[in-house]
Amino acid sequence: QAVQYVNKKILESNPTERDLFDILVLSNNSPESGVRIINSAKHYGLEISKFCFVSDEDSTQYLKSHGVKLFLSADRTDVCNALRRGVSAALVFQQEVQAPSTPLRVVFDGDAVLFSDETDQIFQEQGLEGAVQYERAMEAIPIGEGPLKAFAMHLGKMRKKFSQEKSPIRTYLVTARSGRDMGIRAIKTLREWGLPIDEAFFMDGAPKGPILAQIQPHIFFDDGLHNIQGAQNVGVPSAWVP
């Protein structure tokens, strides 16, 4: 419903705007059993007009033909298939959450989500000191693209339709990186990409749950299952990027 709110604000600003958020339900259910899914969407007041009921073993083959920018699923195989096809994707978990209010708030982790996992690999091989030295040496070079960079850029494009004060979209970076030793390259990379981020939190390895509870995002993306668990413990909707 927060996405519907964004569309409403876009149309209030420009009634002829065609570049809106669009939700597609992709299901392996038969068309006959899909009737229940359609009725459920109507019952909850969700403005979903596109439904695809397919019997193919790998339904993610249809994502690019529909121009999907983000694929969310509770099936890990489908998520991995979507990522292999170059579509931003994440695994969602069933959980009880309190629906947050508008505006639409989206939180991204940094390494292996927005950014590539190059620094994570250095950390695994050489430890923290090696990762810090690598970041300092590479400070002028943007970090590689991560699996959700394309979706974040599209979100940023939608956000730029508004002034910062009136935007119905807010984006956040919450990363385990240290701001002092590893934050500069991350900020420079976002600037190089032209990706607007409203707030950035460099946690230096501290738990992310408390700050997520303060932000109350509609969704939080992370590649660490311990961070996903921490978010779920404070009632934050989370999606794991494998």
Side-chain angles (χ1 to χ4, degrees):
Q1 291 180 335
V3 169
Q4 294 172 195
Y5 172 77
V6 174
N7 284 345
K8 176 184 175 183
K9 289 298 181 181
I10 291 174
L11 291 173
E12 285 178 358
S13 175
N14 181 6
T16 63
E17 178 65 71
R18 302 296 297 272
D19 189 15
L20 304 171
F21 283 105
D22 195 13
I23 298 174
L24 165 72
V25 173
L26 180 63
S27 172
N28 288 327
N29 284 291
S30 67
E32 291 80 8
S33 59
V35 171
R36 185 178 180 186
I37 297 175
I38 296 173
N39 286 334
S40 293
K42 290 180 179 179
H43 173 76
Y44 289 106
L46 302 178
E47 295 177 1
I48 303 174
S49 58
K50 292 183 180 179
F51 295 84
C52 295
F53 302 107
V54 297
S55 58
D56 296 88
E57 187 172 320
D58 180 12
S59 57
T60 63
Q61 62 183 296
Y62 299 102
L63 295 176
K64 284 204 166 182
S65 62
H66 283 282
V68 171
K69 300 295 189 295
L70 174 67
F71 175 67
L72 299 175
S73 175
D75 187 292
R76 179 172 179 172
T77 299
D78 284 345
V79 169
C80 291
N81 285 339
L83 289 169
R84 278 194 289 269
R85 294 180 186 278
V87 177
S88 295
L91 186 73
V92 292
F93 302 88
Q94 185 175 7
Q95 64 179 115
E96 292 290 333
V97 297
Q98 182 71 33
S101 60
T102 54
L104 174 64
R105 293 184 292 277
V106 181
V107 178
F108 296 95
D109 177 30
D111 296 283
V113 176
L114 270 186
F115 310 130
S116 71
D117 64 349
E118 60 185 78
T119 303
D120 276 352
Q121 291 183 16
I122 297 295
F123 175 78
Q124 295 297 327
E125 296 169 2
Q126 303 178 24
L128 179 59
E129 185 59 34
V132 170
Q133 291 179 3
Y134 174 79
E135 284 290 300
R136 288 173 179 168
M138 299 289 286
E139 188 174 293
I141 301 174
I143 308 171
E145 299 180 4
L148 260 62
K149 189 250 187 175
F151 168 65
M153 292 298 293
H154 184 71
L155 200 62
K157 174 186 172 185
M158 302 294 280
R159 186 185 174 285
K160 288 178 181 178
K161 296 179 185 292
F162 305 90
S163 65
Q164 185 169 359
E165 297 76 19
K166 296 183 178 180
S167 176
I169 304 170
R170 290 189 64 81
T171 52
Y172 304 79
L173 172 67
V174 178
T175 172
R177 283 174 172 247
S178 160
R180 182 187 65 181
D181 297 321
M182 304 171 73
I184 294 176
R185 189 181 180 211
I187 293 172
K188 285 185 174 181
T189 298
L190 296 174
R191 184 191 305 155
E192 177 71 19
W193 289 351
L195 177 59
I197 292 288
D198 290 288
E199 298 180 30
F201 298 87
F202 295 91
M203 304 300 292
D204 194 21
K208 298 181 181 181
I211 194 66
L212 292 173
Q214 184 70 28
I215 296 172
Q216 290 194 328
H218 291 83
I219 193 164
F220 162 60
F221 297 100
D222 202 291
D223 70 309
L225 284 173
H226 63 291
N227 290 323
I228 296 295
Q229 184 62 59
Q232 291 178 340
N233 289 343
V234 295
V236 170
S238 310
W240 179 51
V241 183

